Amino acid sequence: MSESTSDQDMARKGRVVSVVIAGTILIWLALNVIGKMAGLPGRFALLFDLAAMAALIWALVNIYQIWRARQADKG
């Protein structure tokens, strides 16, 4: 039973990561378009870029954790 629970936890974590990646890219694109149309200064674009990078780094760390957990389950 613990194996299926672990698999379900990893699958859930993978779905969360995929939603974060897709949502981050969509929001980042929308904010860049809206910012350009509204004439916001470049520092806001930099802020949007840094926020997107933070979310993608979080996703990368979680992908690594999922990968390590799967490797541990194999061996």
Side-chain angles (χ1 to χ4, degrees):
M1 239 193 186
S2 65
E3 288 182 22
S4 65
T5 304
S6 177
D7 288 342
Q8 289 175 352
D9 290 341
M10 282 191 278
R12 183 174 35 86
K13 195 171 186 178
R15 285 190 299 271
V16 169
V17 169
S18 67
V19 168
V20 167
I21 291 171
T24 297
I25 297 302
L26 291 175
I27 291 170
W28 176 76
L29 286 171
L31 288 174
N32 279 315
V33 169
I34 292 168
K36 191 168 193 163
M37 288 174 33
L40 292 176
R43 66 179 175 215
F44 287 105
L46 179 63
L47 180 66
F48 301 152
D49 292 346
L50 290 175
M53 285 185 351
L56 293 174
I57 289 171
W58 176 87
L60 186 64
V61 167
N62 279 282
I63 289 170
Y64 179 74
Q65 289 174 349
I66 293 168
W67 177 72
R68 292 293 295 163
R70 289 196 188 270
Q71 293 299 317
D73 285 348
K74 284 183 183 178

